[in-house]
């Protein structure tokens, strides 16, 4: 699905990227502390799930690299749908598929099963946008990719809490 | 070598050579540790190395970097770290090795292996302690290149930190060396190199390398005054210029944050001569830049601006009075910001406090009068019915007043203002709200805390505030025909509680002499109604809280408690015998629970401090009789129970022999149908720290191990009681037990765990959600700290935690999921059989209706996914 090259050594594709600010923790509201009030799953909640994913090559999060943004998250709790668009830092980024896969896996592990999820590249921001989107939308290819030990290792590293 | 040093040294370099031959090829870690130690001694005790320096280096450095993993079940207990440290001691022991070692270190920093990088950087750091310019000279460019690369590109924060530390010691080493007059100063050229490589990154505040560059420069500048000068004088003008070139707030913020970092470094070096200070030339520019930041709409930029102002203000004699006036004006404005810039307002208040301690005059001339005016204006606004302004400005003004009370001369202005404000509220035509009175008291409390450091201010505060507060309270407690409702605000539980903490804070730090003066007024006020020392003392009735006084007067015993229970232990209390009897009487009388509890606490507080002897025994006997009489009959049982609880606590804290008796009595009440649940909760009070009485700050006798001791003395009995108790009161025992365990330091609990664990697991099935919650919070740290013991119960733990993750109580669901998360710290092989089941079960709480529960479920499930999976 993607090559493992470029990870863990050699030159970085983009050694000095733009850095964006991290948003703070979501403040806990009174409603959230009230046992009775149900809190629906909203865009910020989805964004909180994916913003701390580590970038495969920088010691930075996807949020700090502006790869994911809250405005590019669409969610409908009643209809059980989530759509996340992500923006690679450069149009030829070879990590795009890997980043997409990490986002997808994070959502698969963190959202109720009822959700139908769509992870794709922000239109017009990557050279091989359609190919990547197609790979990410194909359930079987995602499943097959996660059978690959090396790939799973990299994805797990992206999803591990930073030490 | 220890006993025959002379003879061995007589052998000259032959001994060294012989040793090298013996050591060569050694593999056993035990021998290596000894060998490294010998080499270290050879060098440090000045044995002759002769022509064998390089050989000696070779024979030791071939082990660098150490790559050793102790075998499992290693009987010798030699750790990798032991070898690393002893080899490092050898390598960094002499400058003679420099020409061989530095190339090796550079090579290993450039390697791919993380541990080799770390070890090399740390060794380099150690070497700088003994090296001089001569040793480093030829290697500086390569060393810098390697460090720069590591800091710019690393994925590991530890490598970055070690790289910065190494750069810092390198620079320090270069700054330290004494120069020959004709030699080139390596420090200057080295710093110029660093500047050249980092400068241009500072001009791109959005890019990733900006921070690594700033950190490198700051690490070098932190090494010596000379380095700091050199770098600051180059970087500051650049950053000042960049600030103006970039107009976006977030870019400006990054630049200002860098400036702040460099300014902070200045504080490390003191300059005796005013003109030498490198900052004086930039002062005006820095000030105008800070003021721009303070007026920027971006909160983050404002925050950095406030921090920079604080650091700049802490530089002695830098700011002019004009700068200060402007600064105070900005801080005043920021102290009244809207609700959504809470963090900024808090920072502005903190900065005001810090700066006011340096520049009291500026703050009393420019800030205090404005705040005073605000407090008065609001009164007239109030008359015009201008509600909202008053609500928002009022508390802020109070906070600002207490925040700047960091200098004795300012306290002399702010304290009268606050007290006067309180009196006016009391006298005013409209009823002050509870929250407003509390706000004033909280401000007083903060001022009191700030006064504690200075004995003079402390006495000033006590002497001024305490009589005034007592007078207001006494007046409020008087039976009055009109306005009676309004004045009662002061007597509400919450308000009295804040007044209590003001009085306690104002008393704890008094010197015994002054405290004796004060106690001679206050005790007679309560016992005899002697009001002569109060500032305003024309009341409509008599003050007799212990006799037939109204219930309002009885409530004021809490204020007496605040005072007498905070006194130093050696202050003698007049009429103590009578006071104790009155307190005991009041504690068990059927008035409102607030006053009887206050009396019980006051009694307990005095009991705790009273020296052992006949009088103490008498007091105790009186108390026990009172408790027993109260517990046996109907109407005062709960008051008697409260008294028992507090007296027990007072004695447990000081290890008094009678405490075990009273604890047994308390345990007996666990099966009492009426008082059982209260007794269970009582254990929480016994084990926790109080805020108002029986505190260490209030000079109470609190032995440090009292919790451990209570645990050892009483837990076996609690466990026995649990097994013997009838089913319906079992939860009381569990609850009591979990309170005790919860407060216990974990190291004490760990060895006891095997015997208690079965009980705790049973407690998880207890239907009481308080017991569940406290058991979960007890088990959670144990999962992290005693994974081996907990592994034996994995099956029960998984089942019960998963069950509780569906509890109707949100707090229990959260705690259960946190325990599920903590389970992942158990050894992976123990967990793997449960992985599929857990992952399936945790899918359900992912759809919990509460967001806080979902959050815990997400992190627990994420960790379970990683178990035994590659890359985790």
């Amino acid at each position: 699905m993607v090559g493992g090259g470029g990870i863990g050594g050699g030159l970085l594709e983009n050694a000095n990227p733009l850095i964006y600010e991290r948003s703070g923790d979501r403040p806990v509201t009174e409603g959230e502390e009230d046992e009775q009030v149900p809190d629906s799953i909203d865009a910020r909640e989805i964004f909180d799930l994916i913003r701390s994913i580590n970038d495969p090559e920088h010691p930075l999060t996807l949020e700090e690299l502006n790869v994911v943004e809250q405005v590019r998250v669409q969610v409908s709790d009643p209809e059980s749908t989530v759509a996340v668009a992500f923006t690679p830092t450069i149009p030829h980024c070879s990590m795009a598929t890997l980043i997409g896969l990490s986002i997808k896996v994070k959502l698969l592990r963190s959202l109720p099963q009822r959700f139908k999820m769509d992870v794709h590249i922000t239109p017009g921001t990557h050279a091989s946008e359609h190919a990547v989107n197609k790979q990410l939308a194909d359930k079987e290819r995602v499943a097959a990719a996660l059978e690959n030990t090396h790939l799973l290792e990299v994805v797990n590293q992206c999803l591990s809490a930073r030490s | 070598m220890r006993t025959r040093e002379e003879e061995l040294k007589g052998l000259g370099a032959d001994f060294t050579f012989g040793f090298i031959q013996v050591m060569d090829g050694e593999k056993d870690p035990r021998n290596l540790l000894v060998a490294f130690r010998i080499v270290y001694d050879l060098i440090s005790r000045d044995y002759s190395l002769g022509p064998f320096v390089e050989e000696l280096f070779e024979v030791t450095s071939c082990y660098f970097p150490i790559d050793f993993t102790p075998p499992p079940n290693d009987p010798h207990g030699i750790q990798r770290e032991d070898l690393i440290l002893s080899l490092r001691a050898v390598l960094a022991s002499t400058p003679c090795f420099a020409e061989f070692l530095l190339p090796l270190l550079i090579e290993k920093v450039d390697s791919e292996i993380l541990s080799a990088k770390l070890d090399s950087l740390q060794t380099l750091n150690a070497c700088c302690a003994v090296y001089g310019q001569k040793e480093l000279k030829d290697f500086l460019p390569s060393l810098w290149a390697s460090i720069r690369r590591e800091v710019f590109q690393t994925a590991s924060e530890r490598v970055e930190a070690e790289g910065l530390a190494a750069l810092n010691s390198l620079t320090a080493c270069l700054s330290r060396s004494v120069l020959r007059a004709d030699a080139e100063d390596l420090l200057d050229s080295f710093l110029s190199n660093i500047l050249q490589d980092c400068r241009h990154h500072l001009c791109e505040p959005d890019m990733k390398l900006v921070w690594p560059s700033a950190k490198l420069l700051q690490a070098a500048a932190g090494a010596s005054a000379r380095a700091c000068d050199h770098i600051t004088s180059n970087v500051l003008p650049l950053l000042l210029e960049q600030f103006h070139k970039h107009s976006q707030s977030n870019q400006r913020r990054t630049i200002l944050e860098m400036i702040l970092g460099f300014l902070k470094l200045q504080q490390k070096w003191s300059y005796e001569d005013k003109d030498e200070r490198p900052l004086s030339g930039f002062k005006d520019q820095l000030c105008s830049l800070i003021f721009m930041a303070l007026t920027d709409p971006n909160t983050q930029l404002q925050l950095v601006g406030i921090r920079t102002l604080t650091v700049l203000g802490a530089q002695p004699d830098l700011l002019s009075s004009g700068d200060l006036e402007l600064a105070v004006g900005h801080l005043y404005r920021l102290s009244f910001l809207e609700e959504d810039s809470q963090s900024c307002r808090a920072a502005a208040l903190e900065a005001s406090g810090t700066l006011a301690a340096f520049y009291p005059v500026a703050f009393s001339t420019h800030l205090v009068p404005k705040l005073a005016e605000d407090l008065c204006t609001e009164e007239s606004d109030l008359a015009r019915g201008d509600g909202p302004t008053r609500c928002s400005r009022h508390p802020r003004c109070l906070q600002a007043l207490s925040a700047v009370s960091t200098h004795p001369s300012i306290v002399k202005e702010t304290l009268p203002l606050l007290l006067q404000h309180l009196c006016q509220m009391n006298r005013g035509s409209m009823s002050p709200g509870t929250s407003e009175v509390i706000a004033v008291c909280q401000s007083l409390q903060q001022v009191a805390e700030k006064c504690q450091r200075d004995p003079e201010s402390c006495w000033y505060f006590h002497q001024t505030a305490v009589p005034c507060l007592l007078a207001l309270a006494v007046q409020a407690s008087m039976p009055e025909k009109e306005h009676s409702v309004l004045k009662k605000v002061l007597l509400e539980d919450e308000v009295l509680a804040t007044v209590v903490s003001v009085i306690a804070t104002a008393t704890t730090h008094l010197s015994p002499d002054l405290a004796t003066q004060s106690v001679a007024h206050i005790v007679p006020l309560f016992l005899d109604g002697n009001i002569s020392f109060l500032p305003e003392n024309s009341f409509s009735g008599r003050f007799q809280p212990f006799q037939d006084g109204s219930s309002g007067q009885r409530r004021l015993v809490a204020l007496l408690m605040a005072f007498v229970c905070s006194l130093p232990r050696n202050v003698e209390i007049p009429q103590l015998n009578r006071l104790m009897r009155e307190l005991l009487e009041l504690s068990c009388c059927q008035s409102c629970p607030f006053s009887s509890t206050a009396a019980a606490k006051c009694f307990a507080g005095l009991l705790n401090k009273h020296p052992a002897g006949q009088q103490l025994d008498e007091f105790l006997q009186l108390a026990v009789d009172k408790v027993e009489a109260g517990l046996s009959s109907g109407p005062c049982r709960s008051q008697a129970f409260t008294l028992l609880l507090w007296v027990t606590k007072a004695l447990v804290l000081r290890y008094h022999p009678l405490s075990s008796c009273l604890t047994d009595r308390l345990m007996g009440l666990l099966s009492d149908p009426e008082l059982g649940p209260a007794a269970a909760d009582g254990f929480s009070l016994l084990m926790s720290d109080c805020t108002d009485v029986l505190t260490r700050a209030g000079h109470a006798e609190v032995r440090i191990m009292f919790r451990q001791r209570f645990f050892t003395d009483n837990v076996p009995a609690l466990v026995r009681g649990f097994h013997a108790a009838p089913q319906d009161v079992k939860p009381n025992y569990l609850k009591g037990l979990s309170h005790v365990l919860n407060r216990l330091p974990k190291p004490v609990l760990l060895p006891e765990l095997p015997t208690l664990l079965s009980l705790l697991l049973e407690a998880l099935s207890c239907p009481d959600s308080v017991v569940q919650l406290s058991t979960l919070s007890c088990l959670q740290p144990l999962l992290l700290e005693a994974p081996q013991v907990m592994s034996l119960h994995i099956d029960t733990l998984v089942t019960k935690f998963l069950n509780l993750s569906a509890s109707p109580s949100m707090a229990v669901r959260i705690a259960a999921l946190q325990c599920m998360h903590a389970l992942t710290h158990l050894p992976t092989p123990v967990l793997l059989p449960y992985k599929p089941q857990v992952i399936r079960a945790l899918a359900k709480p992912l759809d919990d209706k509460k967001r806080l529960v979902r959050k815990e479920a997400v992190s627990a499930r994420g960790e379970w996914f990683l178990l035994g999976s590659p890359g985790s």
Side-chain angles (χ1 to χ4, degrees):
Chain A
M1 189 159 172
V2 296
I7 300 156
L11 285 175
L12 301 179
E13 275 183 7
N14 186 4
N16 192 11
L18 271 167
I19 310 280
Y20 293 79
E21 200 176 321
R22 260 183 283 178
S23 32
D25 284 339
R26 179 181 196 153
V28 177
T29 62
E30 250 173 70
E32 283 174 352
E33 281 173 344
D34 185 338
E35 299 256 4
Q36 305 310 321
V37 186
D39 317 313
S40 66
I41 296 180
D42 58 12
R44 173 67 201 252
E45 187 168 338
I46 303 290
F47 180 62
D48 278 339
L49 292 175
I50 56 176
R51 71 190 178 98
S52 54
I53 297 177
N54 302 316
D55 180 82
E57 51 173 25
H58 291 286
L60 294 166
T61 63
L62 295 187
E63 178 184 25
E64 286 168 307
L65 291 168
N66 213 34
V67 171
V68 293
E69 292 167 274
Q70 191 175 333
V71 289
R72 302 199 189 283
V73 174
Q74 313 292 332
V75 58
S76 160
D77 195 356
E79 291 165 28
S80 301
T81 56
V82 175
V84 174
F86 66 100
T87 319
T89 51
I90 46 174
H92 296 282
C93 181
S94 67
M95 299 286 153
T97 323
L98 189 55
I99 294 174
L101 187 63
S102 300
I103 298 176
K104 184 114 191 181
V105 171
K106 177 74 187 183
L107 294 180
L108 281 170
R109 291 179 182 178
S110 313
L111 284 178
Q113 271 170 338
R114 62 187 167 91
F115 274 87
K116 185 172 158 17
M117 49 197 81
D118 166 33
V119 176
H120 59 271
I121 293 184
T122 313
T125 60
H126 196 266
S128 37
E129 187 184 320
H130 292 292
V132 175
N133 287 347
K134 211 170 145 193
Q135 285 186 324
L136 288 173
D138 188 334
K139 265 187 199 162
E140 279 162 22
R141 294 187 75 170
V142 170
L146 294 179
E147 299 282 310
N148 175 335
T149 320
H150 175 67
L151 215 48
L152 183 60
E153 180 179 345
V154 183
V155 168
N156 278 340
Q157 271 162 6
C158 294
L159 299 187
S160 297
R162 209 182 290 170
S163 53
Chain B
M1 283 173 85
R2 232 170 262 149
T3 52
R4 293 276 184 268
E5 190 168 322
E6 282 306 312
E7 288 88 329
L8 289 175
K9 277 189 178 166
L11 296 174
D14 286 348
F15 174 60
T16 311
F17 183 64
F19 174 74
I20 292 172
Q21 283 180 319
V22 174
M23 182 182 171
D24 196 13
E26 183 54 61
K27 284 202 191 80
D28 190 310
R30 287 170 292 174
N31 296 343
L32 279 178
L33 276 182
V34 181
F36 290 153
R37 179 71 218 171
I38 294 175
V39 181
Y40 180 79
D41 285 346
L42 284 178
I43 295 166
S44 63
R45 291 176 179 266
D46 249 348
Y47 282 80
S48 159
L49 304 184
F52 304 116
V53 174
E54 184 166 3
E55 279 76 11
L56 189 60
F57 174 75
E58 288 300 334
V59 81
T60 46
S61 67
C62 62
Y63 298 101
F64 185 84
I66 297 276
D67 183 20
F68 165 70
T69 322
N73 318 320
D74 175 30
H76 313 299
I78 295 179
Q79 295 295 314
R80 179 194 163 95
E81 200 59 21
D82 302 330
L83 285 166
I84 289 182
L85 290 177
S86 57
L87 176 57
R88 184 175 302 155
V90 170
L91 294 178
S93 62
T94 169
C96 303
F97 285 165
E99 57 177 318
F100 316 114
L101 178 59
L102 288 173
L104 178 69
L105 291 180
I106 293 171
E107 182 194 320
K108 295 299 174 192
V109 171
D110 296 355
S111 82
E112 287 288 319
I113 305 158
L114 183 73
S115 61
K117 282 179 198 287
L118 287 171
D119 197 359
S120 309
L121 289 167
Q122 285 164 347
T123 307
L124 174 61
N125 197 337
C127 288
C128 288
V130 294
Y131 287 4
Q133 297 211 351
K134 184 163 69 76
E135 285 78 23
L136 292 171
K137 184 166 193 254
D138 294 335
F139 302 100
L140 282 177
S142 330
L143 283 171
W144 162 239
S146 296
I147 292 178
R148 184 190 59 204
R149 193 199 52 239
E150 288 312 311
V151 174
F152 275 2
Q153 284 199 4
T154 185
S156 148
E157 280 173 26
R158 282 183 62 205
V159 174
E160 184 193 80
E162 292 302 339
L164 294 172
L167 179 63
N168 183 276
S169 7
L170 263 181
T171 318
C173 177
L174 292 176
S175 319
R176 197 171 49 226
S177 308
V178 184
L179 288 176
R180 286 206 324 276
D182 54 340
E184 178 200 11
D185 187 356
L186 285 175
L187 178 66
D188 278 344
S189 56
F190 184 60
L191 293 178
S192 306
N193 255 334
I194 300 182
L195 278 164
Q196 196 191 344
D197 287 344
C198 294
R199 269 181 78 98
H200 57 280
H201 290 305
L202 300 185
C203 309
E204 300 169 331
D206 286 333
M207 308 299 253
K208 180 195 168 195
L209 290 183
V210 66
W211 275 111
S213 302
K215 284 182 192 166
L216 282 167
L217 286 167
Q218 285 165 1
S224 70
R226 232 162 17 111
C228 192
D229 265 9
H230 185 116
I231 291 182
T232 315
S233 61
N234 273 284
V235 169
L236 263 191
L238 175 76
L239 288 176
L240 288 168
E241 178 195 302
Q242 288 299 317
F243 186 91
H244 294 288
K245 263 195 193 156
H246 290 88
S247 53
Q248 283 182 28
S249 298
N250 53 357
Q251 299 171 329
R252 290 188 154 191
R253 173 186 147 210
T254 306
I255 296 170
L256 191 57
E257 256 185 274
M258 289 191 276
I259 294 180
L260 174 64
F262 286 104
L263 292 182
K264 275 189 185 160
L265 289 174
Q266 292 284 333
Q267 294 176 325
K268 281 175 78 173
W269 322 110
S270 60
Y271 296 90
E272 276 157 22
D273 187 356
K274 196 175 172 183
D275 301 327
E276 260 182 38
R277 269 188 226 121
L279 285 186
S280 28
F282 301 112
K283 191 261 293 176
D284 289 334
Q285 285 190 64
L286 281 169
C287 281
S288 76
L289 195 135
I290 289 172
F291 296 148
M292 276 169 83
L294 294 182
T295 43
D296 196 275
N298 180 307
T299 316
Q300 296 301 322
L301 182 54
Q302 281 180 13
L303 268 176
V304 186
I306 295 170
R307 276 158 53 207
T308 316
L309 177 63
T310 316
V311 171
L312 204 63
Q315 297 274 333
D317 303 321
L318 187 67
L319 298 183
S320 69
S321 59
D323 300 330
L324 283 169
E325 188 178 342
L326 279 172
V328 171
H330 282 293
L331 289 173
Y332 171 75
R333 180 178 53 80
L334 293 169
S335 306
F336 288 91
L337 281 177
E338 290 310 312
E339 209 52 59
D340 51 345
S341 11
Q342 185 64 34
S343 56
C344 223
R345 208 160 60 77
L349 291 177
E350 202 192 322
S352 306
T354 315
L355 292 175
F358 290 113
Y359 310 102
V361 180
F363 279 83
S364 25
T365 13
H366 302 300
L367 187 69
V368 178
K370 271 195 200 164
L371 292 172
E373 202 178 310
D374 280 347
L375 274 184
C376 300
T377 327
E378 282 161 19
E379 289 297 319
S380 53
D381 279 350
L382 177 62
R384 281 186 270 117
D386 199 352
T389 345
R390 170 171 171 262
C391 292
S392 55
R393 279 188 85 82
H394 196 144
R396 282 166 206 196
C397 201
L398 293 170
Q399 284 168 6
L401 277 173
S402 60
V404 296
S405 303
T406 47
H407 191 274
S409 71
I410 301 185
V411 175
K412 294 217 159 95
E413 298 177 35
T414 52
L415 179 59
L417 271 175
L418 289 170
L419 291 173
Q420 195 190 344
H421 186 64
L422 199 59
C423 296
Q424 263 165 9
M425 282 167 93
N426 197 42
R427 233 181 275 129
S429 50
M430 271 181 70
S431 158
T434 313
S435 60
E436 289 169 64
V437 181
I438 289 181
V440 183
C441 291
Q442 281 166 344
S443 283
L444 284 170
Q445 160 81 17
Q446 278 158 15
V447 178
E449 280 164 18
K450 291 186 173 114
C451 287
Q452 287 185 336
R453 290 166 224 154
D454 173 40
E456 207 175 308
S457 306
C458 186
W459 177 234
Y460 170 74
F461 187 97
H462 183 85
Q463 214 185 4
T464 318
V466 173
C468 175
L469 290 171
L470 286 172
L472 283 171
V474 170
Q475 194 190 19
S477 72
M478 289 296 159
E480 263 184 290
K481 285 144 211 124
E482 333 161 41
H483 301 312
S484 51
V485 192
L486 317 179
K487 311 287 154 119
K488 297 296 179 254
V489 172
L490 261 177
L491 299 181
E492 285 173 19
D493 290 4
E494 290 169 78
V495 179
L496 275 180
T498 48
V499 181
V500 161
S501 60
V502 177
I503 294 182
T505 317
T507 307
T508 52
H509 282 59
L510 284 185
S511 74
D513 290 349
L514 298 172
T516 310
Q517 282 183 38
S518 191
V519 80
H521 293 303
I522 293 176
V523 172
L525 167 71
F526 281 86
L527 285 179
D528 312 318
N530 183 347
I531 51 172
S532 57
F533 83 107
L534 297 179
E536 290 181 48
N537 52 15
S538 53
F539 303 122
S540 54
R542 281 177 55 77
F543 181 60
Q544 294 170 315
F546 287 116
Q547 283 95 45
D548 51 353
S550 63
S551 72
Q553 295 195 351
R554 283 201 291 269
R555 297 169 73 81
L556 299 192
V557 170
L559 304 184
L560 175 67
M561 168 198 86
F563 174 72
V564 292
C565 292
S566 308
L567 289 170
R569 245 181 267 175
N570 52 359
V571 173
E572 200 177 324
I573 294 165
Q575 307 183 64
L576 181 66
N577 202 355
R578 189 177 148 212
L579 178 64
M580 292 297 262
R581 282 160 202 272
E582 297 281 15
L583 285 171
L584 214 47
E585 208 51 52
L586 180 58
S587 72
C588 282
C589 93
Q590 244 184 317
S591 62
C592 68
F594 183 89
S595 32
S596 58
T597 308
K601 282 161 86 170
C602 188
F603 182 80
L606 291 171
L607 206 58
N608 173 273
K609 287 186 205 176
H610 199 78
Q614 200 198 342
Q615 199 180 22
L616 180 69
D617 295 341
E618 273 173 38
F619 290 149
L620 280 172
Q621 193 53 50
L622 283 173
V624 171
D625 294 346
K626 196 84 195 167
V627 166
E628 289 307 335
L631 283 178
S632 58
S633 68
C636 294
R637 286 197 84 203
S638 86
Q639 280 89 343
F641 165 75
T642 308
L643 178 64
L644 169 66
L645 193 57
W646 282 101
V647 170
T648 312
K649 179 158 176 86
L651 297 187
V652 164
L653 289 180
R654 65 182 273 183
Y655 294 178
H656 191 279
L658 193 64
S659 66
S660 59
C661 236
L662 295 178
T663 318
D664 289 344
R665 185 77 182 90
L666 202 59
M667 234 181 282
L669 289 175
L670 283 173
S671 44
D672 185 290
E674 187 189 3
L675 294 173
D681 285 330
F683 281 88
S684 156
L685 187 129
L686 286 183
M687 296 299 278
S688 55
D689 290 316
C690 300
T691 50
D692 45 4
V693 286
L694 296 171
T695 60
R696 277 210 187 87
H699 312 284
E701 183 165 357
V702 183
R703 307 289 281 267
I704 45 171
M705 306 284 272
F706 83 89
R707 290 192 182 85
Q708 283 89 318
R709 194 166 157 146
F710 189 85
F711 172 83
T712 354
D713 289 353
N714 298 299
V715 162
L718 266 176
V719 174
R720 274 197 308 277
F722 168 78
H723 289 300
Q727 204 56 40
D728 57 329
V729 292
K730 271 190 197 288
N732 293 342
Y733 285 87
L734 281 178
K735 205 169 182 178
L737 184 68
S738 32
H739 284 311
V740 177
L741 299 185
N742 233 341
R743 304 279 179 172
L744 203 66
K746 295 303 170 232
V748 185
L749 187 49
L750 286 182
E752 308 295 331
L753 193 66
T755 49
L756 288 174
L757 201 55
S758 61
L759 201 66
L760 283 174
L761 295 178
E762 197 161 340
L764 284 180
S765 316
C766 170
D768 183 332
S769 68
V770 176
V771 176
Q772 290 169 354
L773 196 58
S774 115
T775 312
L776 287 170
S777 58
C778 189
L779 286 172
Q780 201 252 7
L782 290 176
L783 288 167
L784 306 179
E785 285 163 42
Q788 300 299 341
V789 188
M790 302 301 268
S791 296
L792 304 174
H793 303 272
I794 177 72
D795 200 64
T796 325
L797 289 171
V798 168
T799 319
K800 302 232 163 148
F801 290 157
L802 286 178
N803 278 344
L804 289 177
S805 73
S807 147
S809 149
M810 165 173 145
V812 172
R813 294 203 298 276
I814 290 177
L817 289 167
Q818 282 167 343
C819 283
M820 280 312 292
H821 189 163
L823 270 181
T824 59
H825 289 261
L826 266 44
T828 311
V830 178
L831 300 172
L832 280 180
Y834 297 89
K835 183 173 166 178
Q837 172 200 350
V838 169
I839 285 179
R840 236 176 303 125
L842 287 180
K844 194 170 160 270
L846 289 180
D847 212 0
D848 199 280
K849 68 174 176 177
K850 297 307 297 174
R851 184 170 294 130
L852 296 174
V853 179
R854 295 198 292 265
K855 196 174 141 203
E856 298 301 336
V858 165
S859 60
R861 195 166 189 250
E863 284 304 314
W864 274 87
F865 261 109
L866 293 177
L867 283 175
S869 191
S872 54

